[in-house]
Amino acid sequence: MKTMSLIVLAALAAPAHAQFAKPDDAIKYRQSAMALTGAHFGRLGAMANGRVPFDAKAAADNAEVVALVSKLAFTGFTDGSGQGNTRAKAEVWGEADKFKTAASRQQEEAARLLAAAKTGNLDNLKAAFGETAKTCKGCHDNFRRE
Amino acid sequence: MKTMSLIVLAALAAPAHAQFAKPDDAIKYRQSAMALTGAHFGRLGAMANGRVPFDAKAAADNAEVVALVSKLAFTGFTDGSGQGNTRAKAEVWGEADKFKTAASRQQEEAARLLAAAKTGNLDNLKAAFGETAKTCKGCHDNFRRE
């Protein structure tokens, strides 16, 4: 997975200059992307946990959204956007390498989740969902205030 | 464009049952999707209007996000989600056919915008950006409160 990890890190490190006119825009942007990530990840969870019937097409569609919008979310943690209407801890910027590593892990698992969803096999989805969920929780535990 | 129009309408009409636990979730969801749409459409506009240098790869990436998240936004106008923290007019539901037609037009233009961005030609991007912007404005004018 080293190659993917480097690709993901490169994508996350892409210049974000002029993407947000002000810090609040970056905050709103990442919160929007997180909200969509959560909504579609939740739909996958409902299938993985048997609360709704497994639908292979819907699973693949949802996983595709998760992979894309979770990537977008990480582009919103721009320098200077740690203050304001945000639950992001100062560690996002203070321990930037650790945060980037956690983000990179989530992106790897999101890519695996998409691949798993595309197999059309519920067991694959369940396994990948669990692994991805761990990376979400890990980052929230360490970098998001209660 | 009739075929695409029908495909888009079918997608928009896909069952959204159990996608949102409560109306507020649908409102937050569509607002999040609209916020992301606006952010990435704005980046395309900056290129189309010459405020930032044209970057073919970035244009294609942004157009891809616009095409996907604007589609998601329209799935958030579920029945019963017209009340609460929303600027959506009652006409979204009261004139549902008109709203769906407007949504379908936006989706068609967003698809054309993506195709235009992928050509790597700034003039193509400018033209498609303008047409897409009209569909955004048209829908906001008719279906969103000031």
Side-chain angles (χ1 to χ4, degrees), chain A residues 19-20 28-29 32-33 35-36 39-40 43 65 68 72, chain B residues 19-20 29 32-33 35-36 39-40 43 65 68 72:
Chain A
Q19 301 288 44
F20 302 105
K28 184 180 176 185
Y29 176 92
S32 297
L36 291 186
H40 287 271
R43 292 176 195 177
V65 176
L68 176 65
L72 299 182
Chain B
Q19 300 288 44
F20 302 105
Y29 176 92
S32 296
L36 292 186
H40 288 271
R43 293 177 195 177
V65 175
L68 176 65
L72 299 181

mmCIF file with all atom_site columns, all heavy atoms in Angstrom, chain A residues 19-20 28-29 32-33 35-36 39-40 43 65 68 72, chain B residues 19-20 29 32-33 35-36 39-40 43 65 68 72:
data_model
loop_
_atom_site.group_PDB
_atom_site.id
_atom_site.type_symbol
_atom_site.label_atom_id
_atom_site.label_alt_id
_atom_site.label_comp_id
_atom_site.label_asym_id
_atom_site.label_entity_id
_atom_site.label_seq_id
_atom_site.pdbx_PDB_ins_code
_atom_site.Cartn_x
_atom_site.Cartn_y
_atom_site.Cartn_z
_atom_site.occupancy
_atom_site.B_iso_or_equiv
_atom_site.pdbx_formal_charge
_atom_site.auth_seq_id
_atom_site.auth_comp_id
_atom_site.auth_asym_id
_atom_site.auth_atom_id
_atom_site.pdbx_PDB_model_num
ATOM 1   N N   . GLN A 1 19 ? -8.183  28.728 -2.358  1.00 0.00 ? 19 GLN A N   1
ATOM 2   C CA  . GLN A 1 19 ? -9.380  27.893 -2.458  1.00 0.00 ? 19 GLN A CA  1
ATOM 3   C C   . GLN A 1 19 ? -10.487 28.434 -1.556  1.00 0.00 ? 19 GLN A C   1
ATOM 4   O O   . GLN A 1 19 ? -11.666 28.244 -1.833  1.00 0.00 ? 19 GLN A O   1
ATOM 5   C CB  . GLN A 1 19 ? -9.065  26.449 -2.052  1.00 0.00 ? 19 GLN A CB  1
ATOM 6   C CG  . GLN A 1 19 ? -7.992  25.773 -2.888  1.00 0.00 ? 19 GLN A CG  1
ATOM 7   C CD  . GLN A 1 19 ? -8.457  25.431 -4.296  1.00 0.00 ? 19 GLN A CD  1
ATOM 8   O OE1 . GLN A 1 19 ? -9.098  26.252 -4.944  1.00 0.00 ? 19 GLN A OE1 1
ATOM 9   N NE2 . GLN A 1 19 ? -8.124  24.254 -4.754  1.00 0.00 ? 19 GLN A NE2 1
ATOM 10  N N   . PHE A 1 20 ? -10.079 29.067 -0.449  1.00 0.00 ? 20 PHE A N   1
ATOM 11  C CA  . PHE A 1 20 ? -11.056 29.599 0.492   1.00 0.00 ? 20 PHE A CA  1
ATOM 12  C C   . PHE A 1 20 ? -10.742 31.064 0.764   1.00 0.00 ? 20 PHE A C   1
ATOM 13  O O   . PHE A 1 20 ? -9.611  31.401 1.125   1.00 0.00 ? 20 PHE A O   1
ATOM 14  C CB  . PHE A 1 20 ? -11.034 28.799 1.800   1.00 0.00 ? 20 PHE A CB  1
ATOM 15  C CG  . PHE A 1 20 ? -11.301 27.331 1.591   1.00 0.00 ? 20 PHE A CG  1
ATOM 16  C CD1 . PHE A 1 20 ? -10.273 26.408 1.656   1.00 0.00 ? 20 PHE A CD1 1
ATOM 17  C CD2 . PHE A 1 20 ? -12.587 26.881 1.306   1.00 0.00 ? 20 PHE A CD2 1
ATOM 18  C CE1 . PHE A 1 20 ? -10.517 25.053 1.444   1.00 0.00 ? 20 PHE A CE1 1
ATOM 19  C CE2 . PHE A 1 20 ? -12.842 25.532 1.094   1.00 0.00 ? 20 PHE A CE2 1
ATOM 20  C CZ  . PHE A 1 20 ? -11.809 24.611 1.161   1.00 0.00 ? 20 PHE A CZ  1
ATOM 21  N N   . LYS A 1 28 ? -16.717 25.697 6.965   1.00 0.00 ? 28 LYS A N   1
ATOM 22  C CA  . LYS A 1 28 ? -18.023 25.280 6.438   1.00 0.00 ? 28 LYS A CA  1
ATOM 23  C C   . LYS A 1 28 ? -17.849 24.186 5.371   1.00 0.00 ? 28 LYS A C   1
ATOM 24  O O   . LYS A 1 28 ? -18.630 23.236 5.294   1.00 0.00 ? 28 LYS A O   1
ATOM 25  C CB  . LYS A 1 28 ? -18.759 26.479 5.835   1.00 0.00 ? 28 LYS A CB  1
ATOM 26  C CG  . LYS A 1 28 ? -20.162 26.132 5.357   1.00 0.00 ? 28 LYS A CG  1
ATOM 27  C CD  . LYS A 1 28 ? -20.895 27.321 4.755   1.00 0.00 ? 28 LYS A CD  1
ATOM 28  C CE  . LYS A 1 28 ? -22.250 26.877 4.205   1.00 0.00 ? 28 LYS A CE  1
ATOM 29  N NZ  . LYS A 1 28 ? -22.947 27.954 3.506   1.00 0.00 ? 28 LYS A NZ  1
ATOM 30  N N   . TYR A 1 29 ? -16.830 24.363 4.565   1.00 0.00 ? 29 TYR A N   1
ATOM 31  C CA  . TYR A 1 29 ? -16.566 23.397 3.495   1.00 0.00 ? 29 TYR A CA  1
ATOM 32  C C   . TYR A 1 29 ? -16.276 22.017 4.063   1.00 0.00 ? 29 TYR A C   1
ATOM 33  O O   . TYR A 1 29 ? -16.874 21.023 3.656   1.00 0.00 ? 29 TYR A O   1
ATOM 34  C CB  . TYR A 1 29 ? -15.389 23.892 2.659   1.00 0.00 ? 29 TYR A CB  1
ATOM 35  C CG  . TYR A 1 29 ? -14.947 22.941 1.577   1.00 0.00 ? 29 TYR A CG  1
ATOM 36  C CD1 . TYR A 1 29 ? -15.462 23.021 0.291   1.00 0.00 ? 29 TYR A CD1 1
ATOM 37  C CD2 . TYR A 1 29 ? -13.999 21.952 1.846   1.00 0.00 ? 29 TYR A CD2 1
ATOM 38  C CE1 . TYR A 1 29 ? -15.050 22.142 -0.699  1.00 0.00 ? 29 TYR A CE1 1
ATOM 39  C CE2 . TYR A 1 29 ? -13.588 21.079 0.863   1.00 0.00 ? 29 TYR A CE2 1
ATOM 40  C CZ  . TYR A 1 29 ? -14.114 21.176 -0.411  1.00 0.00 ? 29 TYR A CZ  1
ATOM 41  O OH  . TYR A 1 29 ? -13.709 20.302 -1.389  1.00 0.00 ? 29 TYR A OH  1
ATOM 42  N N   . SER A 1 32 ? -19.302 20.441 5.655   1.00 0.00 ? 32 SER A N   1
ATOM 43  C CA  . SER A 1 32 ? -20.230 19.953 4.627   1.00 0.00 ? 32 SER A CA  1
ATOM 44  C C   . SER A 1 32 ? -19.760 18.617 4.075   1.00 0.00 ? 32 SER A C   1
ATOM 45  O O   . SER A 1 32 ? -20.546 17.676 3.909   1.00 0.00 ? 32 SER A O   1
ATOM 46  C CB  . SER A 1 32 ? -20.349 20.978 3.495   1.00 0.00 ? 32 SER A CB  1
ATOM 47  O OG  . SER A 1 32 ? -20.898 22.186 3.968   1.00 0.00 ? 32 SER A OG  1
ATOM 48  N N   . ALA A 1 33 ? -18.468 18.538 3.807   1.00 0.00 ? 33 ALA A N   1
ATOM 49  C CA  . ALA A 1 33 ? -17.927 17.292 3.261   1.00 0.00 ? 33 ALA A CA  1
ATOM 50  C C   . ALA A 1 33 ? -18.015 16.165 4.288   1.00 0.00 ? 33 ALA A C   1
ATOM 51  O O   . ALA A 1 33 ? -18.329 15.016 3.938   1.00 0.00 ? 33 ALA A O   1
ATOM 52  C CB  . ALA A 1 33 ? -16.476 17.506 2.825   1.00 0.00 ? 33 ALA A CB  1
ATOM 53  N N   . ALA A 1 35 ? -20.293 15.968 6.633   1.00 0.00 ? 35 ALA A N   1
ATOM 54  C CA  . ALA A 1 35 ? -21.716 15.623 6.765   1.00 0.00 ? 35 ALA A CA  1
ATOM 55  C C   . ALA A 1 35 ? -22.130 14.653 5.656   1.00 0.00 ? 35 ALA A C   1
ATOM 56  O O   . ALA A 1 35 ? -22.842 13.666 5.902   1.00 0.00 ? 35 ALA A O   1
ATOM 57  C CB  . ALA A 1 35 ? -22.577 16.887 6.723   1.00 0.00 ? 35 ALA A CB  1
ATOM 58  N N   . LEU A 1 36 ? -21.675 14.917 4.440   1.00 0.00 ? 36 LEU A N   1
ATOM 59  C CA  . LEU A 1 36 ? -22.015 14.004 3.334   1.00 0.00 ? 36 LEU A CA  1
ATOM 60  C C   . LEU A 1 36 ? -21.319 12.658 3.525   1.00 0.00 ? 36 LEU A C   1
ATOM 61  O O   . LEU A 1 36 ? -21.914 11.605 3.263   1.00 0.00 ? 36 LEU A O   1
ATOM 62  C CB  . LEU A 1 36 ? -21.608 14.613 1.995   1.00 0.00 ? 36 LEU A CB  1
ATOM 63  C CG  . LEU A 1 36 ? -22.388 15.834 1.523   1.00 0.00 ? 36 LEU A CG  1
ATOM 64  C CD1 . LEU A 1 36 ? -21.953 16.209 0.113   1.00 0.00 ? 36 LEU A CD1 1
ATOM 65  C CD2 . LEU A 1 36 ? -23.886 15.606 1.562   1.00 0.00 ? 36 LEU A CD2 1
ATOM 66  N N   . ALA A 1 39 ? -23.310 10.754 6.074   1.00 0.00 ? 39 ALA A N   1
ATOM 67  C CA  . ALA A 1 39 ? -24.606 10.285 5.559   1.00 0.00 ? 39 ALA A CA  1
ATOM 68  C C   . ALA A 1 39 ? -24.424 9.035  4.704   1.00 0.00 ? 39 ALA A C   1
ATOM 69  O O   . ALA A 1 39 ? -25.139 8.038  4.868   1.00 0.00 ? 39 ALA A O   1
ATOM 70  C CB  . ALA A 1 39 ? -25.283 11.394 4.756   1.00 0.00 ? 39 ALA A CB  1
ATOM 71  N N   . HIS A 1 40 ? -23.454 9.077  3.806   1.00 0.00 ? 40 HIS A N   1
ATOM 72  C CA  . HIS A 1 40 ? -23.294 7.937  2.891   1.00 0.00 ? 40 HIS A CA  1
ATOM 73  C C   . HIS A 1 40 ? -22.582 6.766  3.561   1.00 0.00 ? 40 HIS A C   1
ATOM 74  O O   . HIS A 1 40 ? -22.859 5.612  3.247   1.00 0.00 ? 40 HIS A O   1
ATOM 75  C CB  . HIS A 1 40 ? -22.569 8.397  1.613   1.00 0.00 ? 40 HIS A CB  1
ATOM 76  C CG  . HIS A 1 40 ? -23.463 9.232  0.755   1.00 0.00 ? 40 HIS A CG  1
ATOM 77  N ND1 . HIS A 1 40 ? -24.282 8.693  -0.202  1.00 0.00 ? 40 HIS A ND1 1
ATOM 78  C CD2 . HIS A 1 40 ? -23.728 10.566 0.760   1.00 0.00 ? 40 HIS A CD2 1
ATOM 79  C CE1 . HIS A 1 40 ? -24.989 9.657  -0.765  1.00 0.00 ? 40 HIS A CE1 1
ATOM 80  N NE2 . HIS A 1 40 ? -24.664 10.805 -0.203  1.00 0.00 ? 40 HIS A NE2 1
ATOM 81  N N   . ARG A 1 43 ? -25.228 4.933  5.338   1.00 0.00 ? 43 ARG A N   1
ATOM 82  C CA  . ARG A 1 43 ? -26.042 4.056  4.480   1.00 0.00 ? 43 ARG A CA  1
ATOM 83  C C   . ARG A 1 43 ? -25.321 2.731  4.236   1.00 0.00 ? 43 ARG A C   1
ATOM 84  O O   . ARG A 1 43 ? -25.952 1.672  4.165   1.00 0.00 ? 43 ARG A O   1
ATOM 85  C CB  . ARG A 1 43 ? -26.346 4.762  3.159   1.00 0.00 ? 43 ARG A CB  1
ATOM 86  C CG  . ARG A 1 43 ? -27.279 5.946  3.358   1.00 0.00 ? 43 ARG A CG  1
ATOM 87  C CD  . ARG A 1 43 ? -27.525 6.725  2.074   1.00 0.00 ? 43 ARG A CD  1
ATOM 88  N NE  . ARG A 1 43 ? -28.116 8.023  2.402   1.00 0.00 ? 43 ARG A NE  1
ATOM 89  C CZ  . ARG A 1 43 ? -28.407 8.961  1.507   1.00 0.00 ? 43 ARG A CZ  1
ATOM 90  N NH1 . ARG A 1 43 ? -28.166 8.747  0.221   1.00 0.00 ? 43 ARG A NH1 1
ATOM 91  N NH2 . ARG A 1 43 ? -28.944 10.102 1.895   1.00 0.00 ? 43 ARG A NH2 1
ATOM 92  N N   . VAL A 1 65 ? -19.215 7.911  -3.215  1.00 0.00 ? 65 VAL A N   1
ATOM 93  C CA  . VAL A 1 65 ? -19.395 9.229  -2.601  1.00 0.00 ? 65 VAL A CA  1
ATOM 94  C C   . VAL A 1 65 ? -18.472 9.370  -1.395  1.00 0.00 ? 65 VAL A C   1
ATOM 95  O O   . VAL A 1 65 ? -17.802 10.394 -1.220  1.00 0.00 ? 65 VAL A O   1
ATOM 96  C CB  . VAL A 1 65 ? -20.864 9.460  -2.183  1.00 0.00 ? 65 VAL A CB  1
ATOM 97  C CG1 . VAL A 1 65 ? -21.002 10.788 -1.451  1.00 0.00 ? 65 VAL A CG1 1
ATOM 98  C CG2 . VAL A 1 65 ? -21.780 9.428  -3.398  1.00 0.00 ? 65 VAL A CG2 1
ATOM 99  N N   . LEU A 1 68 ? -14.877 10.050 -2.394  1.00 0.00 ? 68 LEU A N   1
ATOM 100 C CA  . LEU A 1 68 ? -14.640 11.396 -2.916  1.00 0.00 ? 68 LEU A CA  1
ATOM 101 C C   . LEU A 1 68 ? -14.797 12.475 -1.839  1.00 0.00 ? 68 LEU A C   1
ATOM 102 O O   . LEU A 1 68 ? -13.908 13.304 -1.651  1.00 0.00 ? 68 LEU A O   1
ATOM 103 C CB  . LEU A 1 68 ? -15.576 11.712 -4.086  1.00 0.00 ? 68 LEU A CB  1
ATOM 104 C CG  . LEU A 1 68 ? -15.438 13.138 -4.621  1.00 0.00 ? 68 LEU A CG  1
ATOM 105 C CD1 . LEU A 1 68 ? -14.061 13.371 -5.234  1.00 0.00 ? 68 LEU A CD1 1
ATOM 106 C CD2 . LEU A 1 68 ? -16.515 13.441 -5.659  1.00 0.00 ? 68 LEU A CD2 1
ATOM 107 N N   . LEU A 1 72 ? -12.284 15.312 -0.011  1.00 0.00 ? 72 LEU A N   1
ATOM 108 C CA  . LEU A 1 72 ? -12.523 16.758 -0.020  1.00 0.00 ? 72 LEU A CA  1
ATOM 109 C C   . LEU A 1 72 ? -12.436 17.324 1.396   1.00 0.00 ? 72 LEU A C   1
ATOM 110 O O   . LEU A 1 72 ? -11.878 18.403 1.611   1.00 0.00 ? 72 LEU A O   1
ATOM 111 C CB  . LEU A 1 72 ? -13.904 17.074 -0.610  1.00 0.00 ? 72 LEU A CB  1
ATOM 112 C CG  . LEU A 1 72 ? -14.159 16.647 -2.052  1.00 0.00 ? 72 LEU A CG  1
ATOM 113 C CD1 . LEU A 1 72 ? -15.557 17.073 -2.480  1.00 0.00 ? 72 LEU A CD1 1
ATOM 114 C CD2 . LEU A 1 72 ? -13.113 17.224 -3.003  1.00 0.00 ? 72 LEU A CD2 1
ATOM 115 N N   . GLN B 1 19 ? -33.498 7.057  3.800   1.00 0.00 ? 19 GLN B N   1
ATOM 116 C CA  . GLN B 1 19 ? -32.194 7.697  3.618   1.00 0.00 ? 19 GLN B CA  1
ATOM 117 C C   . GLN B 1 19 ? -31.948 8.731  4.720   1.00 0.00 ? 19 GLN B C   1
ATOM 118 O O   . GLN B 1 19 ? -30.806 8.985  5.073   1.00 0.00 ? 19 GLN B O   1
ATOM 119 C CB  . GLN B 1 19 ? -32.111 8.379  2.248   1.00 0.00 ? 19 GLN B CB  1
ATOM 120 C CG  . GLN B 1 19 ? -32.301 7.445  1.065   1.00 0.00 ? 19 GLN B CG  1
ATOM 121 C CD  . GLN B 1 19 ? -31.114 6.521  0.838   1.00 0.00 ? 19 GLN B CD  1
ATOM 122 O OE1 . GLN B 1 19 ? -30.575 5.952  1.763   1.00 0.00 ? 19 GLN B OE1 1
ATOM 123 N NE2 . GLN B 1 19 ? -30.733 6.356  -0.405  1.00 0.00 ? 19 GLN B NE2 1
ATOM 124 N N   . PHE B 1 20 ? -33.018 9.336  5.197   1.00 0.00 ? 20 PHE B N   1
ATOM 125 C CA  . PHE B 1 20 ? -32.893 10.351 6.237   1.00 0.00 ? 20 PHE B CA  1
ATOM 126 C C   . PHE B 1 20 ? -33.821 9.993  7.390   1.00 0.00 ? 20 PHE B C   1
ATOM 127 O O   . PHE B 1 20 ? -35.022 9.776  7.185   1.00 0.00 ? 20 PHE B O   1
ATOM 128 C CB  . PHE B 1 20 ? -33.248 11.728 5.671   1.00 0.00 ? 20 PHE B CB  1
ATOM 129 C CG  . PHE B 1 20 ? -32.383 12.112 4.496   1.00 0.00 ? 20 PHE B CG  1
ATOM 130 C CD1 . PHE B 1 20 ? -32.888 12.078 3.199   1.00 0.00 ? 20 PHE B CD1 1
ATOM 131 C CD2 . PHE B 1 20 ? -31.055 12.483 4.675   1.00 0.00 ? 20 PHE B CD2 1
ATOM 132 C CE1 . PHE B 1 20 ? -32.091 12.406 2.115   1.00 0.00 ? 20 PHE B CE1 1
ATOM 133 C CE2 . PHE B 1 20 ? -30.248 12.814 3.588   1.00 0.00 ? 20 PHE B CE2 1
ATOM 134 C CZ  . PHE B 1 20 ? -30.766 12.781 2.308   1.00 0.00 ? 20 PHE B CZ  1
ATOM 135 N N   . TYR B 1 29 ? -28.297 17.715 4.864   1.00 0.00 ? 29 TYR B N   1
ATOM 136 C CA  . TYR B 1 29 ? -27.646 16.986 3.774   1.00 0.00 ? 29 TYR B CA  1
ATOM 137 C C   . TYR B 1 29 ? -27.624 17.815 2.491   1.00 0.00 ? 29 TYR B C   1
ATOM 138 O O   . TYR B 1 29 ? -26.583 17.988 1.861   1.00 0.00 ? 29 TYR B O   1
ATOM 139 C CB  . TYR B 1 29 ? -28.374 15.669 3.543   1.00 0.00 ? 29 TYR B CB  1
ATOM 140 C CG  . TYR B 1 29 ? -27.857 14.853 2.378   1.00 0.00 ? 29 TYR B CG  1
ATOM 141 C CD1 . TYR B 1 29 ? -26.870 13.895 2.565   1.00 0.00 ? 29 TYR B CD1 1
ATOM 142 C CD2 . TYR B 1 29 ? -28.355 15.046 1.091   1.00 0.00 ? 29 TYR B CD2 1
ATOM 143 C CE1 . TYR B 1 29 ? -26.391 13.149 1.510   1.00 0.00 ? 29 TYR B CE1 1
ATOM 144 C CE2 . TYR B 1 29 ? -27.881 14.310 0.023   1.00 0.00 ? 29 TYR B CE2 1
ATOM 145 C CZ  . TYR B 1 29 ? -26.894 13.361 0.231   1.00 0.00 ? 29 TYR B CZ  1
ATOM 146 O OH  . TYR B 1 29 ? -26.418 12.635 -0.825  1.00 0.00 ? 29 TYR B OH  1
ATOM 147 N N   . SER B 1 32 ? -25.388 20.822 2.746   1.00 0.00 ? 32 SER B N   1
ATOM 148 C CA  . SER B 1 32 ? -23.980 20.434 2.652   1.00 0.00 ? 32 SER B CA  1
ATOM 149 C C   . SER B 1 32 ? -23.586 20.201 1.199   1.00 0.00 ? 32 SER B C   1
ATOM 150 O O   . SER B 1 32 ? -22.522 20.639 0.745   1.00 0.00 ? 32 SER B O   1
ATOM 151 C CB  . SER B 1 32 ? -23.728 19.161 3.470   1.00 0.00 ? 32 SER B CB  1
ATOM 152 O OG  . SER B 1 32 ? -23.955 19.397 4.836   1.00 0.00 ? 32 SER B OG  1
ATOM 153 N N   . ALA B 1 33 ? -24.459 19.515 0.484   1.00 0.00 ? 33 ALA B N   1
ATOM 154 C CA  . ALA B 1 33 ? -24.167 19.227 -0.928  1.00 0.00 ? 33 ALA B CA  1
ATOM 155 C C   . ALA B 1 33 ? -24.157 20.517 -1.749  1.00 0.00 ? 33 ALA B C   1
ATOM 156 O O   . ALA B 1 33 ? -23.327 20.694 -2.645  1.00 0.00 ? 33 ALA B O   1
ATOM 157 C CB  . ALA B 1 33 ? -25.187 18.231 -1.483  1.00 0.00 ? 33 ALA B CB  1
ATOM 158 N N   . ALA B 1 35 ? -23.394 23.469 -0.572  1.00 0.00 ? 35 ALA B N   1
ATOM 159 C CA  . ALA B 1 35 ? -22.190 24.222 -0.188  1.00 0.00 ? 35 ALA B CA  1
ATOM 160 C C   . ALA B 1 35 ? -20.976 23.721 -0.959  1.00 0.00 ? 35 ALA B C   1
ATOM 161 O O   . ALA B 1 35 ? -20.164 24.513 -1.446  1.00 0.00 ? 35 ALA B O   1
ATOM 162 C CB  . ALA B 1 35 ? -21.960 24.102 1.320   1.00 0.00 ? 35 ALA B CB  1
ATOM 163 N N   . LEU B 1 36 ? -20.863 22.411 -1.073  1.00 0.00 ? 36 LEU B N   1
ATOM 164 C CA  . LEU B 1 36 ? -19.730 21.862 -1.834  1.00 0.00 ? 36 LEU B CA  1
ATOM 165 C C   . LEU B 1 36 ? -19.868 22.198 -3.312  1.00 0.00 ? 36 LEU B C   1
ATOM 166 O O   . LEU B 1 36 ? -18.885 22.523 -3.984  1.00 0.00 ? 36 LEU B O   1
ATOM 167 C CB  . LEU B 1 36 ? -19.644 20.344 -1.652  1.00 0.00 ? 36 LEU B CB  1
ATOM 168 C CG  . LEU B 1 36 ? -19.254 19.838 -0.261  1.00 0.00 ? 36 LEU B CG  1
ATOM 169 C CD1 . LEU B 1 36 ? -19.071 18.322 -0.300  1.00 0.00 ? 36 LEU B CD1 1
ATOM 170 C CD2 . LEU B 1 36 ? -17.990 20.491 0.247   1.00 0.00 ? 36 LEU B CD2 1
ATOM 171 N N   . ALA B 1 39 ? -18.777 25.759 -3.749  1.00 0.00 ? 39 ALA B N   1
ATOM 172 C CA  . ALA B 1 39 ? -17.333 25.949 -3.599  1.00 0.00 ? 39 ALA B CA  1
ATOM 173 C C   . ALA B 1 39 ? -16.596 25.533 -4.874  1.00 0.00 ? 39 ALA B C   1
ATOM 174 O O   . ALA B 1 39 ? -15.741 26.259 -5.377  1.00 0.00 ? 39 ALA B O   1
ATOM 175 C CB  . ALA B 1 39 ? -16.823 25.155 -2.405  1.00 0.00 ? 39 ALA B CB  1
ATOM 176 N N   . HIS B 1 40 ? -16.960 24.367 -5.380  1.00 0.00 ? 40 HIS B N   1
ATOM 177 C CA  . HIS B 1 40 ? -16.223 23.878 -6.560  1.00 0.00 ? 40 HIS B CA  1
ATOM 178 C C   . HIS B 1 40 ? -16.667 24.579 -7.847  1.00 0.00 ? 40 HIS B C   1
ATOM 179 O O   . HIS B 1 40 ? -15.861 24.765 -8.754  1.00 0.00 ? 40 HIS B O   1
ATOM 180 C CB  . HIS B 1 40 ? -16.360 22.355 -6.652  1.00 0.00 ? 40 HIS B CB  1
ATOM 181 C CG  . HIS B 1 40 ? -15.562 21.668 -5.594  1.00 0.00 ? 40 HIS B CG  1
ATOM 182 N ND1 . HIS B 1 40 ? -14.256 21.304 -5.787  1.00 0.00 ? 40 HIS B ND1 1
ATOM 183 C CD2 . HIS B 1 40 ? -15.862 21.343 -4.308  1.00 0.00 ? 40 HIS B CD2 1
ATOM 184 C CE1 . HIS B 1 40 ? -13.788 20.759 -4.668  1.00 0.00 ? 40 HIS B CE1 1
ATOM 185 N NE2 . HIS B 1 40 ? -14.743 20.771 -3.758  1.00 0.00 ? 40 HIS B NE2 1
ATOM 186 N N   . ARG B 1 43 ? -14.724 27.694 -7.997  1.00 0.00 ? 43 ARG B N   1
ATOM 187 C CA  . ARG B 1 43 ? -13.343 27.527 -8.471  1.00 0.00 ? 43 ARG B CA  1
ATOM 188 C C   . ARG B 1 43 ? -13.299 27.461 -10.001 1.00 0.00 ? 43 ARG B C   1
ATOM 189 O O   . ARG B 1 43 ? -12.368 27.969 -10.631 1.00 0.00 ? 43 ARG B O   1
ATOM 190 C CB  . ARG B 1 43 ? -12.729 26.266 -7.853  1.00 0.00 ? 43 ARG B CB  1
ATOM 191 C CG  . ARG B 1 43 ? -12.532 26.401 -6.350  1.00 0.00 ? 43 ARG B CG  1
ATOM 192 C CD  . ARG B 1 43 ? -12.004 25.145 -5.694  1.00 0.00 ? 43 ARG B CD  1
ATOM 193 N NE  . ARG B 1 43 ? -12.173 25.232 -4.240  1.00 0.00 ? 43 ARG B NE  1
ATOM 194 C CZ  . ARG B 1 43 ? -11.870 24.270 -3.375  1.00 0.00 ? 43 ARG B CZ  1
ATOM 195 N NH1 . ARG B 1 43 ? -11.352 23.135 -3.815  1.00 0.00 ? 43 ARG B NH1 1
ATOM 196 N NH2 . ARG B 1 43 ? -12.073 24.440 -2.078  1.00 0.00 ? 43 ARG B NH2 1
ATOM 197 N N   . VAL B 1 65 ? -16.547 17.036 -9.221  1.00 0.00 ? 65 VAL B N   1
ATOM 198 C CA  . VAL B 1 65 ? -17.191 17.215 -7.919  1.00 0.00 ? 65 VAL B CA  1
ATOM 199 C C   . VAL B 1 65 ? -18.557 17.885 -8.101  1.00 0.00 ? 65 VAL B C   1
ATOM 200 O O   . VAL B 1 65 ? -19.558 17.460 -7.504  1.00 0.00 ? 65 VAL B O   1
ATOM 201 C CB  . VAL B 1 65 ? -16.310 18.057 -6.969  1.00 0.00 ? 65 VAL B CB  1
ATOM 202 C CG1 . VAL B 1 65 ? -17.054 18.324 -5.666  1.00 0.00 ? 65 VAL B CG1 1
ATOM 203 C CG2 . VAL B 1 65 ? -14.993 17.344 -6.683  1.00 0.00 ? 65 VAL B CG2 1
ATOM 204 N N   . LEU B 1 68 ? -21.194 15.452 -9.330  1.00 0.00 ? 68 LEU B N   1
ATOM 205 C CA  . LEU B 1 68 ? -21.648 14.479 -8.333  1.00 0.00 ? 68 LEU B CA  1
ATOM 206 C C   . LEU B 1 68 ? -22.432 15.136 -7.197  1.00 0.00 ? 68 LEU B C   1
ATOM 207 O O   . LEU B 1 68 ? -23.542 14.710 -6.880  1.00 0.00 ? 68 LEU B O   1
ATOM 208 C CB  . LEU B 1 68 ? -20.462 13.703 -7.749  1.00 0.00 ? 68 LEU B CB  1
ATOM 209 C CG  . LEU B 1 68 ? -20.837 12.733 -6.617  1.00 0.00 ? 68 LEU B CG  1
ATOM 210 C CD1 . LEU B 1 68 ? -21.739 11.618 -7.134  1.00 0.00 ? 68 LEU B CD1 1
ATOM 211 C CD2 . LEU B 1 68 ? -19.606 12.138 -5.965  1.00 0.00 ? 68 LEU B CD2 1
ATOM 212 N N   . LEU B 1 72 ? -26.360 14.884 -5.720  1.00 0.00 ? 72 LEU B N   1
ATOM 213 C CA  . LEU B 1 72 ? -26.713 14.510 -4.346  1.00 0.00 ? 72 LEU B CA  1
ATOM 214 C C   . LEU B 1 72 ? -27.663 15.529 -3.727  1.00 0.00 ? 72 LEU B C   1
ATOM 215 O O   . LEU B 1 72 ? -28.617 15.168 -3.029  1.00 0.00 ? 72 LEU B O   1
ATOM 216 C CB  . LEU B 1 72 ? -25.453 14.403 -3.478  1.00 0.00 ? 72 LEU B CB  1
ATOM 217 C CG  . LEU B 1 72 ? -24.405 13.370 -3.881  1.00 0.00 ? 72 LEU B CG  1
ATOM 218 C CD1 . LEU B 1 72 ? -23.245 13.391 -2.888  1.00 0.00 ? 72 LEU B CD1 1
ATOM 219 C CD2 . LEU B 1 72 ? -24.991 11.972 -3.981  1.00 0.00 ? 72 LEU B CD2 1
#
